[in-house]
Amino acid sequence: MQTIRELREARGLSQFKLAIQVGVTPASIHQWESGKNAPGAARLRALAAALGVKMDDIIIVRKPQDGNGRAR
């Protein structure tokens, strides 16, 4: 299993190009890669298709949150 960033870079895609393929903004890709946010099921499916892997092959990294639900 690999992270979104590892899979994207292995395929030579920029965040911008991956965002276009998935139908999101480059900021969304950045947030997913940095652990600030995670894709929902529909976006994860599109992401897996764009990266040529199964959904189960993608590691979603989440930053720990403080007591107010904000990433630390």
Side-chain angles (χ1 to χ4, degrees), residues 6-24:
E6 291 169 339
L7 291 164
R8 176 181 60 77
E9 290 176 348
R11 282 149 186 81
L13 294 171
S14 66
Q15 288 181 342
F16 181 80
K17 287 183 181 182
L18 181 58
I20 290 171
Q21 290 181 16
V22 176
V24 297

Side-chain angles (χ1 to χ4, degrees), residues 12-50:
L13 294 171
S14 66
Q15 288 181 342
F16 181 80
K17 287 183 181 182
L18 181 58
I20 290 171
Q21 290 181 16
V22 176
V24 297
T25 64
S28 293
I29 301 295
H30 173 74
Q31 288 181 347
W32 297 343
E33 289 183 354
S34 65
K36 292 179 183 176
N37 216 336
R43 295 294 186 211
L44 184 57
R45 190 174 302 114
L47 187 60

